[in-house]
Amino acid sequence: GVLAAVGSSAMFHPQVAVEPILNTRRTGKPLAAFFTPHAEKSLSLLAEKGIDYEADVYDGGLRPENSAPSPTLNIPMLEDGALKLWESDLIVDYLLRTYPDTKPKGDMAASPPLAPWLARPEKHWQDMTVLATIATMASAIVNMRLIQPEGVTANSSPYMSRQKTRVERCLDWLETQVTAEGFAPGWFSIMDLAFICPVAFSEARGVMAWRGRPRLDSLFDRFASRPSLLATPIKALRVE
């Protein structure tokens, strides 16, 4: 597969985020394009599954509506042969189902093992609700980050205040769902991965403080050092 991953810097500082990837050699392999701060979820999953990929990216910030890769105008999007998928959890589900037997390469192996499913079969709706809540939290974090460069804060904007409250309420509820071993004991689950990526983004980009919930703090600190996550870090934005 081919993967393109660019964070919100593609919008605010494309010369920093995009230019290094533009020189990547193009091939005829399948394309998975992720122009999103949450590309780390898909990148980390590819590392966990030991799936090789190359990088490619659209040059030009926001893609014109008439050439958007999906009808939703959203990203990420994955193209694998004739198949096109968009929405990150759908892409994650596809990778898990399509490559069930792939294993991490030596330096990516870790314990506990990656869960082979998006949601536990015996707790499907419970886990899907957790994933939906994490997705809502992540969207609110991204919305706050996108408005930050304009100098808008939760104290000066009812909209920003509501986004902050949404994140806090999602965190409070997630704290009631996670165990001492993560969202699915005995596994490194997609729920764990999906949670770590947006809160790591929030920390790295200074969006808002999220810590203060013991079980969520413990989950983050335990899994943040996992090789697949260390290989796909979210870096603080530093532009002169």
Side-chain angles (χ1 to χ4, degrees), residues 8 36-42 44 88-89 92 130-146 148 163 166-168 170-171 174 183 188-211 216 219-220 224 229 232-235:
S8 59
T36 166
H38 306 299
E40 285 74 19
K41 181 165 68 174
S42 297
S44 296
S88 61
D89 283 334
V92 166
V130 168
L131 284 168
T133 303
I134 292 172
T136 296
M137 178 191 72
S139 294
I141 289 172
V142 170
N143 289 341
M144 294 174 69
R145 166 59 188 146
L146 292 176
Q148 271 184 334
Q163 297 303 305
R166 178 173 284 123
V167 173
E168 290 170 341
C170 287
L171 288 167
L174 291 169
F183 286 105
F188 177 58
S189 72
I190 300 303
M191 293 176 283
D192 300 324
L193 177 59
F195 171 77
I196 289 171
C197 291
V199 296
F201 175 79
S202 182
E203 281 192 353
R205 298 304 174 89
V207 177
M208 63 173 285
W210 67 271
R211 288 183 178 270
L216 291 177
L219 181 153
F220 183 90
L229 288 164
T232 56
I234 302 172
K235 298 179 180 179

Short mmCIF file of all heavy atoms in Angstrom, two decimals, residues 8 36-42 44 88-89 92 130-146 148 163 166-168 170-171 174 183 188-211 216 219-220 224 229 232-235:
data_model
loop_
_atom_site.label_atom_id
_atom_site.label_comp_id
_atom_site.label_asym_id
_atom_site.label_seq_id
_atom_site.Cartn_x
_atom_site.Cartn_y
_atom_site.Cartn_z
N SER A 8 -1.96 18.95 10.62
CA SER A 8 -2.61 20.22 10.35
C SER A 8 -1.63 21.25 9.80
O SER A 8 -2.03 22.27 9.26
CB SER A 8 -3.23 20.77 11.64
OG SER A 8 -2.25 20.93 12.64
N THR A 36 -4.37 14.60 7.84
CA THR A 36 -5.10 14.79 9.08
C THR A 36 -4.18 14.66 10.28
O THR A 36 -3.22 13.88 10.22
CB THR A 36 -6.23 13.76 9.21
OG1 THR A 36 -6.72 13.75 10.55
CG2 THR A 36 -5.76 12.37 8.86
N PRO A 37 -4.46 15.37 11.37
CA PRO A 37 -3.66 15.19 12.57
C PRO A 37 -3.76 13.79 13.13
O PRO A 37 -2.95 13.40 13.96
CB PRO A 37 -4.27 16.21 13.54
CG PRO A 37 -4.89 17.22 12.67
CD PRO A 37 -5.40 16.48 11.47
N HIS A 38 -4.76 13.01 12.70
CA HIS A 38 -4.93 11.67 13.23
C HIS A 38 -4.40 10.61 12.30
O HIS A 38 -4.76 9.44 12.39
CB HIS A 38 -6.40 11.43 13.57
CG HIS A 38 -6.93 12.48 14.48
ND1 HIS A 38 -6.42 12.70 15.74
CD2 HIS A 38 -7.89 13.41 14.29
CE1 HIS A 38 -7.06 13.72 16.29
NE2 HIS A 38 -7.94 14.16 15.45
N ALA A 39 -3.54 11.01 11.39
CA ALA A 39 -2.90 10.00 10.54
C ALA A 39 -2.12 9.00 11.37
O ALA A 39 -1.91 7.88 10.95
CB ALA A 39 -1.97 10.69 9.54
N GLU A 40 -1.70 9.42 12.58
CA GLU A 40 -0.91 8.53 13.41
C GLU A 40 -1.64 7.23 13.72
O GLU A 40 -1.02 6.18 13.90
CB GLU A 40 -0.51 9.24 14.72
CG GLU A 40 0.59 10.26 14.55
CD GLU A 40 0.13 11.53 13.86
OE1 GLU A 40 -1.10 11.79 13.83
OE2 GLU A 40 0.98 12.27 13.36
N LYS A 41 -2.98 7.29 13.81
CA LYS A 41 -3.72 6.06 14.11
C LYS A 41 -3.51 5.03 13.00
O LYS A 41 -3.23 3.86 13.27
CB LYS A 41 -5.21 6.37 14.27
CG LYS A 41 -6.05 5.14 14.59
CD LYS A 41 -7.43 5.52 15.09
CE LYS A 41 -8.30 6.14 14.05
NZ LYS A 41 -9.67 6.36 14.53
N SER A 42 -3.64 5.47 11.76
CA SER A 42 -3.47 4.55 10.64
C SER A 42 -2.00 4.18 10.45
O SER A 42 -1.67 3.03 10.14
CB SER A 42 -4.03 5.18 9.36
OG SER A 42 -5.41 5.40 9.50
N SER A 44 0.30 4.03 12.79
CA SER A 44 0.68 3.10 13.85
C SER A 44 0.12 1.71 13.60
O SER A 44 0.78 0.71 13.86
CB SER A 44 0.20 3.62 15.21
OG SER A 44 0.84 4.84 15.54
N SER A 88 -11.54 7.13 9.15
CA SER A 88 -10.40 6.38 9.68
C SER A 88 -10.77 5.05 10.29
O SER A 88 -10.05 4.05 10.10
CB SER A 88 -9.64 7.24 10.71
OG SER A 88 -10.48 7.58 11.80
N ASP A 89 -11.88 4.96 11.05
CA ASP A 89 -12.23 3.68 11.65
C ASP A 89 -12.63 2.66 10.60
O ASP A 89 -12.39 1.46 10.76
CB ASP A 89 -13.34 3.85 12.68
CG ASP A 89 -12.84 4.45 13.99
OD1 ASP A 89 -11.64 4.28 14.28
OD2 ASP A 89 -13.62 5.07 14.71
N VAL A 92 -9.33 1.45 9.29
CA VAL A 92 -8.73 0.55 10.26
C VAL A 92 -9.40 -0.82 10.22
O VAL A 92 -8.73 -1.86 10.24
CB VAL A 92 -8.83 1.17 11.68
CG1 VAL A 92 -8.53 0.13 12.75
CG2 VAL A 92 -7.87 2.35 11.81
N VAL A 130 -17.61 3.43 22.60
CA VAL A 130 -16.34 4.02 23.05
C VAL A 130 -15.63 4.67 21.86
O VAL A 130 -15.16 5.81 21.95
CB VAL A 130 -15.44 2.95 23.70
CG1 VAL A 130 -14.02 3.48 23.88
CG2 VAL A 130 -16.01 2.52 25.04
N LEU A 131 -15.56 3.96 20.73
CA LEU A 131 -14.89 4.51 19.55
C LEU A 131 -15.60 5.76 19.05
O LEU A 131 -14.95 6.73 18.64
CB LEU A 131 -14.83 3.46 18.45
CG LEU A 131 -13.78 2.36 18.63
CD1 LEU A 131 -14.02 1.22 17.65
CD2 LEU A 131 -12.37 2.92 18.46
N ALA A 132 -16.93 5.76 19.06
CA ALA A 132 -17.68 6.94 18.61
C ALA A 132 -17.43 8.13 19.53
O ALA A 132 -17.31 9.28 19.06
CB ALA A 132 -19.18 6.61 18.56
N THR A 133 -17.34 7.87 20.83
CA THR A 133 -17.07 8.95 21.78
C THR A 133 -15.66 9.51 21.59
O THR A 133 -15.46 10.74 21.63
CB THR A 133 -17.24 8.43 23.22
OG1 THR A 133 -18.56 7.89 23.38
CG2 THR A 133 -17.03 9.55 24.24
N ILE A 134 -14.70 8.63 21.35
CA ILE A 134 -13.33 9.08 21.08
C ILE A 134 -13.29 9.90 19.80
O ILE A 134 -12.61 10.94 19.73
CB ILE A 134 -12.38 7.88 20.99
CG1 ILE A 134 -12.24 7.21 22.36
CG2 ILE A 134 -11.00 8.32 20.48
CD1 ILE A 134 -11.47 5.91 22.35
N ALA A 135 -14.04 9.49 18.77
CA ALA A 135 -14.07 10.23 17.51
C ALA A 135 -14.66 11.62 17.71
O ALA A 135 -14.17 12.61 17.13
CB ALA A 135 -14.86 9.46 16.46
N THR A 136 -15.70 11.72 18.52
CA THR A 136 -16.29 13.03 18.81
C THR A 136 -15.29 13.92 19.55
O THR A 136 -15.14 15.11 19.24
CB THR A 136 -17.56 12.85 19.66
OG1 THR A 136 -18.54 12.13 18.89
CG2 THR A 136 -18.14 14.20 20.07
N MET A 137 -14.61 13.34 20.53
CA MET A 137 -13.58 14.08 21.26
C MET A 137 -12.48 14.55 20.32
O MET A 137 -12.03 15.72 20.38
CB MET A 137 -12.99 13.19 22.35
CG MET A 137 -11.88 13.84 23.16
SD MET A 137 -10.98 12.65 24.22
CE MET A 137 -10.06 11.73 22.98
N ALA A 138 -12.03 13.66 19.44
CA ALA A 138 -10.97 14.01 18.51
C ALA A 138 -11.38 15.15 17.59
O ALA A 138 -10.60 16.06 17.31
CB ALA A 138 -10.57 12.78 17.69
N SER A 139 -12.61 15.10 17.09
CA SER A 139 -13.09 16.16 16.20
C SER A 139 -13.12 17.51 16.92
O SER A 139 -12.77 18.54 16.34
CB SER A 139 -14.49 15.82 15.69
OG SER A 139 -14.45 14.68 14.85
N ALA A 140 -13.53 17.50 18.19
CA ALA A 140 -13.56 18.74 18.95
C ALA A 140 -12.15 19.30 19.16
O ALA A 140 -11.92 20.51 19.07
CB ALA A 140 -14.25 18.51 20.30
N ILE A 141 -11.19 18.40 19.42
CA ILE A 141 -9.80 18.84 19.58
C ILE A 141 -9.28 19.46 18.29
O ILE A 141 -8.62 20.52 18.30
CB ILE A 141 -8.92 17.66 20.02
CG1 ILE A 141 -9.23 17.27 21.47
CG2 ILE A 141 -7.43 17.99 19.87
CD1 ILE A 141 -8.55 15.99 21.94
N VAL A 142 -9.58 18.84 17.15
CA VAL A 142 -9.14 19.38 15.87
C VAL A 142 -9.80 20.72 15.60
O VAL A 142 -9.16 21.67 15.13
CB VAL A 142 -9.45 18.38 14.74
CG1 VAL A 142 -9.21 19.03 13.37
CG2 VAL A 142 -8.58 17.14 14.88
N ASN A 143 -11.10 20.85 15.89
CA ASN A 143 -11.79 22.12 15.69
C ASN A 143 -11.14 23.23 16.50
O ASN A 143 -10.96 24.35 16.01
CB ASN A 143 -13.27 21.99 16.09
CG ASN A 143 -14.07 21.16 15.11
OD1 ASN A 143 -13.64 20.94 13.98
ND2 ASN A 143 -15.22 20.66 15.54
N MET A 144 -10.77 22.93 17.74
CA MET A 144 -10.11 23.92 18.57
C MET A 144 -8.75 24.30 18.00
O MET A 144 -8.38 25.48 17.97
CB MET A 144 -9.96 23.40 19.99
CG MET A 144 -11.28 23.19 20.72
SD MET A 144 -11.07 22.41 22.35
CE MET A 144 -10.25 23.74 23.25
N ARG A 145 -8.02 23.32 17.52
CA ARG A 145 -6.70 23.59 16.94
C ARG A 145 -6.81 24.44 15.68
O ARG A 145 -6.01 25.36 15.46
CB ARG A 145 -6.01 22.25 16.63
CG ARG A 145 -4.80 22.36 15.73
CD ARG A 145 -3.71 23.25 16.30
NE ARG A 145 -2.66 23.46 15.32
CZ ARG A 145 -1.95 24.58 15.19
NH1 ARG A 145 -2.17 25.60 16.00
NH2 ARG A 145 -1.02 24.68 14.28
N LEU A 146 -7.81 24.19 14.85
CA LEU A 146 -7.95 24.93 13.60
C LEU A 146 -8.25 26.41 13.84
O LEU A 146 -7.86 27.27 13.05
CB LEU A 146 -9.06 24.31 12.75
CG LEU A 146 -8.78 22.91 12.18
CD1 LEU A 146 -10.00 22.39 11.44
CD2 LEU A 146 -7.57 22.93 11.27
N GLN A 148 -7.37 28.06 16.70
CA GLN A 148 -6.34 28.67 17.55
C GLN A 148 -5.50 29.74 16.85
O GLN A 148 -5.22 30.78 17.44
CB GLN A 148 -5.41 27.59 18.10
CG GLN A 148 -5.88 27.00 19.41
CD GLN A 148 -4.87 26.00 19.96
OE1 GLN A 148 -4.10 25.40 19.22
NE2 GLN A 148 -4.88 25.83 21.27
N GLN A 163 -16.68 23.38 22.53
CA GLN A 163 -15.76 22.32 22.09
C GLN A 163 -14.94 21.80 23.27
O GLN A 163 -14.74 20.59 23.43
CB GLN A 163 -14.83 22.84 21.00
CG GLN A 163 -15.52 23.28 19.72
CD GLN A 163 -16.34 22.18 19.09
OE1 GLN A 163 -15.84 21.09 18.82
NE2 GLN A 163 -17.62 22.45 18.87
N ARG A 166 -17.10 19.72 25.45
CA ARG A 166 -17.35 18.42 24.81
C ARG A 166 -16.17 17.46 25.07
O ARG A 166 -16.37 16.29 25.39
CB ARG A 166 -17.57 18.61 23.32
CG ARG A 166 -17.79 17.32 22.55
CD ARG A 166 -18.18 17.58 21.10
NE ARG A 166 -19.57 18.00 21.01
CZ ARG A 166 -19.98 19.16 20.46
NH1 ARG A 166 -19.09 20.00 19.97
NH2 ARG A 166 -21.26 19.44 20.40
N VAL A 167 -14.96 17.97 24.91
CA VAL A 167 -13.77 17.14 25.16
C VAL A 167 -13.76 16.67 26.61
O VAL A 167 -13.53 15.48 26.90
CB VAL A 167 -12.48 17.91 24.85
CG1 VAL A 167 -11.26 17.11 25.29
CG2 VAL A 167 -12.39 18.22 23.36
N GLU A 168 -14.02 17.58 27.54
CA GLU A 168 -13.96 17.24 28.96
C GLU A 168 -15.02 16.21 29.33
O GLU A 168 -14.75 15.28 30.10
CB GLU A 168 -14.13 18.51 29.80
CG GLU A 168 -12.92 19.45 29.71
CD GLU A 168 -13.17 20.80 30.33
OE1 GLU A 168 -14.37 21.15 30.51
OE2 GLU A 168 -12.19 21.51 30.62
N CYS A 170 -16.43 14.01 27.27
CA CYS A 170 -16.02 12.74 26.67
C CYS A 170 -14.96 12.07 27.53
O CYS A 170 -15.02 10.85 27.78
CB CYS A 170 -15.49 12.97 25.25
SG CYS A 170 -16.77 13.36 24.02
N LEU A 171 -13.99 12.84 28.00
CA LEU A 171 -12.93 12.28 28.85
C LEU A 171 -13.51 11.72 30.14
O LEU A 171 -13.12 10.64 30.59
CB LEU A 171 -11.89 13.35 29.15
CG LEU A 171 -10.97 13.76 28.00
CD1 LEU A 171 -10.21 15.04 28.36
CD2 LEU A 171 -9.98 12.64 27.66
N LEU A 174 -15.19 8.42 29.26
CA LEU A 174 -14.20 7.40 28.91
C LEU A 174 -13.49 6.88 30.15
O LEU A 174 -13.13 5.69 30.22
CB LEU A 174 -13.19 7.97 27.91
CG LEU A 174 -13.75 8.25 26.51
CD1 LEU A 174 -12.75 9.05 25.69
CD2 LEU A 174 -14.10 6.94 25.79
N PHE A 183 -8.77 -0.34 27.39
CA PHE A 183 -10.19 -0.51 27.09
C PHE A 183 -10.57 -1.97 26.85
O PHE A 183 -11.73 -2.33 26.99
CB PHE A 183 -10.57 0.33 25.86
CG PHE A 183 -10.66 1.80 26.14
CD1 PHE A 183 -9.66 2.67 25.71
CD2 PHE A 183 -11.72 2.33 26.85
CE1 PHE A 183 -9.73 4.03 25.97
CE2 PHE A 183 -11.80 3.68 27.13
CZ PHE A 183 -10.81 4.54 26.69
N PHE A 188 -3.76 -4.65 23.06
CA PHE A 188 -3.60 -3.25 22.65
C PHE A 188 -4.68 -3.05 21.59
O PHE A 188 -4.57 -3.52 20.47
CB PHE A 188 -2.21 -2.99 22.07
CG PHE A 188 -2.03 -1.58 21.57
CD1 PHE A 188 -2.21 -0.50 22.41
CD2 PHE A 188 -1.66 -1.35 20.25
CE1 PHE A 188 -2.04 0.80 21.96
CE2 PHE A 188 -1.49 -0.05 19.78
CZ PHE A 188 -1.67 1.03 20.64
N SER A 189 -5.75 -2.39 21.97
CA SER A 189 -6.92 -2.32 21.11
C SER A 189 -6.93 -1.05 20.27
O SER A 189 -6.22 -0.08 20.55
CB SER A 189 -8.20 -2.37 21.96
OG SER A 189 -8.38 -1.15 22.67
N ILE A 190 -7.78 -1.05 19.25
CA ILE A 190 -7.96 0.15 18.44
C ILE A 190 -8.53 1.27 19.29
O ILE A 190 -8.26 2.45 19.05
CB ILE A 190 -8.88 -0.15 17.23
CG1 ILE A 190 -8.25 -1.24 16.35
CG2 ILE A 190 -9.12 1.12 16.42
CD1 ILE A 190 -6.86 -0.92 15.84
N MET A 191 -9.30 0.92 20.32
CA MET A 191 -9.80 1.95 21.24
C MET A 191 -8.64 2.65 21.95
O MET A 191 -8.62 3.88 22.08
CB MET A 191 -10.76 1.33 22.25
CG MET A 191 -12.06 0.83 21.65
SD MET A 191 -13.13 0.00 22.87
CE MET A 191 -12.28 -1.60 23.00
N ASP A 192 -7.67 1.86 22.41
CA ASP A 192 -6.48 2.45 23.05
C ASP A 192 -5.75 3.36 22.08
O ASP A 192 -5.38 4.49 22.41
CB ASP A 192 -5.53 1.34 23.52
CG ASP A 192 -6.17 0.39 24.54
OD1 ASP A 192 -6.96 0.85 25.37
OD2 ASP A 192 -5.86 -0.81 24.47
N LEU A 193 -5.53 2.85 20.88
CA LEU A 193 -4.81 3.62 19.87
C LEU A 193 -5.57 4.88 19.48
O LEU A 193 -4.98 5.97 19.38
CB LEU A 193 -4.58 2.75 18.63
CG LEU A 193 -3.91 3.38 17.42
CD1 LEU A 193 -2.53 3.92 17.79
CD2 LEU A 193 -3.82 2.37 16.28
N ALA A 194 -6.88 4.74 19.30
CA ALA A 194 -7.70 5.88 18.90
C ALA A 194 -7.73 6.96 19.97
O ALA A 194 -7.83 8.15 19.67
CB ALA A 194 -9.12 5.42 18.59
N PHE A 195 -7.63 6.56 21.24
CA PHE A 195 -7.60 7.54 22.32
C PHE A 195 -6.26 8.26 22.39
O PHE A 195 -6.20 9.48 22.55
CB PHE A 195 -7.88 6.85 23.66
CG PHE A 195 -7.65 7.76 24.84
CD1 PHE A 195 -8.57 8.73 25.18
CD2 PHE A 195 -6.49 7.66 25.60
CE1 PHE A 195 -8.35 9.59 26.25
CE2 PHE A 195 -6.26 8.50 26.67
CZ PHE A 195 -7.19 9.48 26.99
N ILE A 196 -5.18 7.52 22.28
CA ILE A 196 -3.85 8.10 22.46
C ILE A 196 -3.57 9.18 21.41
O ILE A 196 -3.00 10.23 21.74
CB ILE A 196 -2.78 7.00 22.41
CG1 ILE A 196 -2.86 6.12 23.67
CG2 ILE A 196 -1.38 7.59 22.27
CD1 ILE A 196 -2.01 4.88 23.61
N CYS A 197 -3.96 8.94 20.16
CA CYS A 197 -3.56 9.85 19.08
C CYS A 197 -4.09 11.28 19.26
O CYS A 197 -3.32 12.23 19.19
CB CYS A 197 -3.97 9.28 17.74
SG CYS A 197 -3.02 7.82 17.28
N PRO A 198 -5.39 11.50 19.50
CA PRO A 198 -5.85 12.89 19.64
C PRO A 198 -5.37 13.59 20.90
O PRO A 198 -5.13 14.79 20.88
CB PRO A 198 -7.38 12.77 19.61
CG PRO A 198 -7.67 11.36 19.99
CD PRO A 198 -6.52 10.55 19.48
N VAL A 199 -5.23 12.85 22.02
CA VAL A 199 -4.76 13.53 23.22
C VAL A 199 -3.27 13.84 23.11
O VAL A 199 -2.79 14.86 23.64
CB VAL A 199 -5.09 12.75 24.51
CG1 VAL A 199 -6.60 12.67 24.70
CG2 VAL A 199 -4.46 11.37 24.52
N ALA A 200 -2.51 12.98 22.41
CA ALA A 200 -1.10 13.29 22.15
C ALA A 200 -1.00 14.52 21.25
O ALA A 200 -0.13 15.38 21.44
CB ALA A 200 -0.40 12.10 21.50
N PHE A 201 -1.88 14.61 20.27
CA PHE A 201 -1.94 15.79 19.40
C PHE A 201 -2.26 17.04 20.22
O PHE A 201 -1.65 18.09 20.04
CB PHE A 201 -2.98 15.57 18.32
CG PHE A 201 -3.22 16.75 17.43
CD1 PHE A 201 -2.35 17.06 16.41
CD2 PHE A 201 -4.33 17.57 17.62
CE1 PHE A 201 -2.56 18.16 15.59
CE2 PHE A 201 -4.55 18.66 16.81
CZ PHE A 201 -3.67 18.96 15.79
N SER A 202 -3.21 16.92 21.14
CA SER A 202 -3.59 18.05 21.98
C SER A 202 -2.41 18.52 22.82
O SER A 202 -2.17 19.73 22.96
CB SER A 202 -4.76 17.66 22.88
OG SER A 202 -5.18 18.75 23.67
N GLU A 203 -1.67 17.57 23.38
CA GLU A 203 -0.49 17.94 24.17
C GLU A 203 0.58 18.59 23.31
O GLU A 203 1.14 19.63 23.67
CB GLU A 203 0.09 16.69 24.85
CG GLU A 203 -0.63 16.25 26.10
CD GLU A 203 0.15 15.20 26.88
OE1 GLU A 203 1.18 14.72 26.37
OE2 GLU A 203 -0.28 14.86 28.00
N ALA A 204 0.88 17.97 22.16
CA ALA A 204 1.97 18.45 21.32
C ALA A 204 1.68 19.83 20.75
O ALA A 204 2.60 20.64 20.59
CB ALA A 204 2.23 17.46 20.18
N ARG A 205 0.43 20.10 20.43
CA ARG A 205 0.08 21.37 19.82
C ARG A 205 -0.50 22.39 20.80
O ARG A 205 -0.94 23.46 20.39
CB ARG A 205 -0.91 21.13 18.67
CG ARG A 205 -0.34 20.26 17.55
CD ARG A 205 0.95 20.86 16.98
NE ARG A 205 1.59 20.00 16.01
CZ ARG A 205 1.34 20.00 14.71
NH1 ARG A 205 0.42 20.81 14.21
NH2 ARG A 205 1.98 19.20 13.90
N GLY A 206 -0.52 22.04 22.08
CA GLY A 206 -0.98 22.99 23.09
C GLY A 206 -2.44 23.36 22.96
O GLY A 206 -2.83 24.51 23.22
N VAL A 207 -3.28 22.40 22.58
CA VAL A 207 -4.70 22.70 22.38
C VAL A 207 -5.40 22.92 23.71
O VAL A 207 -6.06 23.93 23.93
CB VAL A 207 -5.39 21.57 21.59
CG1 VAL A 207 -6.88 21.85 21.44
CG2 VAL A 207 -4.74 21.42 20.21
N MET A 208 -5.28 21.94 24.62
CA MET A 208 -5.88 22.07 25.95
C MET A 208 -5.28 20.99 26.85
O MET A 208 -4.79 19.97 26.39
CB MET A 208 -7.41 21.93 25.90
CG MET A 208 -7.90 20.58 25.42
SD MET A 208 -9.71 20.39 25.56
CE MET A 208 -9.89 20.14 27.33
N ALA A 209 -5.35 21.23 28.15
CA ALA A 209 -4.92 20.22 29.12
C ALA A 209 -6.00 19.15 29.22
O ALA A 209 -7.19 19.46 29.31
CB ALA A 209 -4.68 20.87 30.47
N TRP A 210 -5.59 17.89 29.21
CA TRP A 210 -6.58 16.82 29.27
C TRP A 210 -6.37 15.88 30.44
O TRP A 210 -7.26 15.12 30.81
CB TRP A 210 -6.55 15.99 27.98
CG TRP A 210 -5.28 15.21 27.79
CD1 TRP A 210 -4.14 15.63 27.17
CD2 TRP A 210 -5.01 13.88 28.26
NE1 TRP A 210 -3.16 14.66 27.21
CE2 TRP A 210 -3.68 13.56 27.87
CE3 TRP A 210 -5.76 12.93 28.96
CZ2 TRP A 210 -3.09 12.34 28.17
CZ3 TRP A 210 -5.16 11.71 29.26
CH2 TRP A 210 -3.84 11.42 28.85
N ARG A 211 -5.19 15.92 31.06
CA ARG A 211 -4.87 14.97 32.13
C ARG A 211 -5.65 15.26 33.41
O ARG A 211 -6.24 16.31 33.57
CB ARG A 211 -3.37 14.98 32.40
CG ARG A 211 -2.54 14.32 31.28
CD ARG A 211 -1.08 14.30 31.64
NE ARG A 211 -0.26 13.65 30.64
CZ ARG A 211 0.03 12.35 30.65
NH1 ARG A 211 -0.45 11.57 31.61
NH2 ARG A 211 0.78 11.82 29.71
N LEU A 216 -7.19 6.99 32.54
CA LEU A 216 -6.80 7.46 31.21
C LEU A 216 -5.34 7.90 31.21
O LEU A 216 -4.61 7.64 30.24
CB LEU A 216 -7.71 8.61 30.76
CG LEU A 216 -9.16 8.24 30.45
CD1 LEU A 216 -9.96 9.49 30.10
CD2 LEU A 216 -9.24 7.21 29.31
N LEU A 219 -3.32 4.72 31.03
CA LEU A 219 -3.37 4.12 29.69
C LEU A 219 -2.40 4.83 28.76
O LEU A 219 -1.61 4.19 28.06
CB LEU A 219 -4.79 4.19 29.14
CG LEU A 219 -5.04 3.59 27.75
CD1 LEU A 219 -6.49 3.14 27.62
CD2 LEU A 219 -4.73 4.57 26.62
N PHE A 220 -2.45 6.15 28.76
CA PHE A 220 -1.58 6.93 27.87
C PHE A 220 -0.11 6.68 28.20
O PHE A 220 0.70 6.41 27.31
CB PHE A 220 -1.90 8.41 28.01
CG PHE A 220 -1.09 9.28 27.08
CD1 PHE A 220 -1.54 9.58 25.81
CD2 PHE A 220 0.13 9.80 27.49
CE1 PHE A 220 -0.80 10.38 24.96
CE2 PHE A 220 0.89 10.59 26.64
CZ PHE A 220 0.42 10.88 25.37
N ALA A 224 2.09 4.87 25.36
CA ALA A 224 2.74 5.90 24.55
C ALA A 224 4.16 5.51 24.16
O ALA A 224 4.71 6.04 23.18
CB ALA A 224 2.74 7.24 25.28
N LEU A 229 4.01 3.59 18.15
CA LEU A 229 3.68 4.99 18.43
C LEU A 229 4.93 5.85 18.47
O LEU A 229 4.91 7.00 18.01
CB LEU A 229 2.90 5.10 19.73
CG LEU A 229 1.46 4.58 19.66
CD1 LEU A 229 0.89 4.35 21.05
CD2 LEU A 229 0.59 5.55 18.88
N THR A 232 5.86 6.89 15.04
CA THR A 232 4.98 7.84 14.34
C THR A 232 4.60 8.96 15.30
O THR A 232 3.42 9.16 15.60
CB THR A 232 3.72 7.13 13.82
OG1 THR A 232 3.05 6.49 14.93
CG2 THR A 232 4.06 6.11 12.78
N PRO A 233 5.58 9.71 15.81
CA PRO A 233 5.29 10.72 16.84
C PRO A 233 4.56 11.94 16.28
O PRO A 233 4.68 12.28 15.11
CB PRO A 233 6.69 11.11 17.34
CG PRO A 233 7.55 10.94 16.13
CD PRO A 233 7.01 9.71 15.42
N ILE A 234 3.79 12.56 17.16
CA ILE A 234 3.17 13.84 16.85
C ILE A 234 4.08 14.92 17.43
O ILE A 234 4.24 15.01 18.64
CB ILE A 234 1.76 13.96 17.44
CG1 ILE A 234 0.89 12.83 16.92
CG2 ILE A 234 1.15 15.31 17.11
CD1 ILE A 234 -0.46 12.74 17.59
N LYS A 235 4.67 15.72 16.59
CA LYS A 235 5.65 16.69 17.04
C LYS A 235 5.01 18.06 17.24
O LYS A 235 4.08 18.44 16.55
CB LYS A 235 6.79 16.82 16.03
CG LYS A 235 7.56 15.50 15.85
CD LYS A 235 8.66 15.67 14.84
CE LYS A 235 9.44 14.36 14.65
NZ LYS A 235 10.51 14.48 13.64
#
